[in-house]
Amino acid sequence: MTAAATGGRVAAPLGWRVARLVQRRVETPTAQTLVLSVPDWPGHLPGQHVDVRLTAPDGYQAARSYSLAGPVDGDRIELTVQRVPDGEVSPYLTDVWAEGDPVEVRGPVGGWFVWRPAQTAPVLLVAGGSGVVPLMAMVRARRAAGSRTPFRLIYSVRTPADVIYADELRVRARDDLGLDVTYLYTREAPDGWRGEPHRVGLADVNTHGWPAELEPLCYVCGPTGFVETVADLLVGLGHQTRRVRTERFGPTG
């Protein structure tokens, strides 16, 4: 990893750092944003993630990866965690972890699924559920950098109550020039929404994405099946494979 990938500072070898919770925000009934203080944080790019490790009193350890939800903010990072009912890590982070308590983090990790503000090609973001987290980091970084790069976000959720960052996205869609946000609903749609709930399809990507001839950068994140479907649709519409970047997670990710 180069200095450019860490906000201009030279990255040290990845090792575990002790982080502490300083704030939490409820996003949906099952998702929370956790603000962590990480001394000597080296910086990160939107789209990168960290590993979070818990250690039990008997020495048992469990670790999971979580996307960074925002741009660089000194020694603070944000993670938005979707609670998995039978998970080993997410229930602790959302239900037990108290402000001031420590946890270990390692990162930043990843160099392919990232967006840099210096890039000028149009951007298509396609999110399924909590896959919106690293894509929201890109939306926030775009605003922070004053970038004029045109962004389009297609966000698929089960119901309106499952929209993470709902209030912020409403404001950004109104105020961030060049950002378009489209929602798809798979189980229950809000009043006034045109059409019936459905899974993402060719018409959605063709209508709300960018034409392939504009050579946009496409970032797709969500459950494995969702990501594979969207990536296939994009390639079928003529997008170059190398410009379709994907990140996926399983049911226990």
Side-chain angles (χ1 to χ4, degrees):
M1 185 178 298
T2 66
T6 55
R9 285 179 281 178
V10 176
L14 291 182
W16 293 100
R17 291 180 169 86
V18 176
R20 296 185 184 276
L21 180 66
V22 296
Q23 183 186 2
R24 69 170 69 239
R25 299 193 300 271
V26 175
E27 302 289 354
T28 73
T30 60
Q32 296 180 14
T33 292
L34 309 174
V35 183
L36 287 63
S37 174
V38 188
D40 300 320
W41 181 247
H44 60 272
L45 288 170
Q48 290 186 305
H49 64 273
V50 297
D51 298 325
V52 176
R53 183 170 70 181
L54 304 178
T55 303
D58 63 1
Y60 175 77
Q61 293 182 323
R64 294 290 184 273
S65 296
Y66 292 101
S67 295
L68 291 151
V72 175
D73 183 18
D75 287 343
R76 291 194 173 191
I77 63 174
E78 293 190 7
L79 311 177
T80 300
V81 176
Q82 183 91 45
R83 188 185 190 281
V84 179
D86 57 350
E88 288 188 297
V89 176
S90 64
Y92 174 85
L93 296 179
T94 59
D95 300 344
V96 179
W97 199 23
E99 290 189 16
D101 285 353
V103 73
E104 291 180 289
V105 300
R106 180 175 61 188
V109 181
W112 172 245
F113 194 82
V114 298
W115 179 76
R116 294 172 172 82
Q119 296 171 188
T120 58
V123 172
L124 173 62
L125 310 173
V126 188
S130 60
V132 75
V133 177
L135 308 186
M136 190 63 172
M138 299 177 190
V139 171
R140 289 168 168 169
R142 174 186 182 273
R143 174 62 180 268
S147 170
R148 294 182 179 273
T149 298
F151 268 41
R152 290 182 178 178
L153 168 64
I154 302 173
Y155 186 9
S156 175
V157 292
R158 294 178 178 179
T159 74
D162 295 309
V163 176
I164 300 173
Y165 315 125
D167 291 340
E168 182 178 354
L169 279 172
R170 189 178 303 113
V171 172
R172 290 191 180 277
R174 181 194 67 198
D175 297 344
D176 288 13
L177 297 179
L179 169 65
D180 294 320
V181 179
T182 299
Y183 296 99
L184 303 178
Y185 302 94
T186 62
R187 293 191 180 180
E188 175 189 333
D191 293 339
W193 191 69
R194 293 183 178 181
E196 296 294 327
H198 63 276
R199 296 186 181 277
V200 63
L202 181 64
D204 301 306
V205 178
N206 189 41
T207 301
H208 304 294
W210 295 105
E213 54 266 29
L214 294 182
E215 298 188 339
L217 281 172
C218 305
Y219 298 87
V220 187
C221 186
T224 297
F226 173 89
V227 170
E228 291 177 348
T229 295
V230 173
D232 287 345
L233 291 172
L234 287 168
V235 173
L237 287 168
H239 293 269
Q240 301 173 36
T241 303
R242 65 183 178 84
R243 301 185 74 82
V244 179
R245 303 184 180 188
T246 62
E247 187 162 277
R248 64 199 72 196
F249 52 82
T252 60

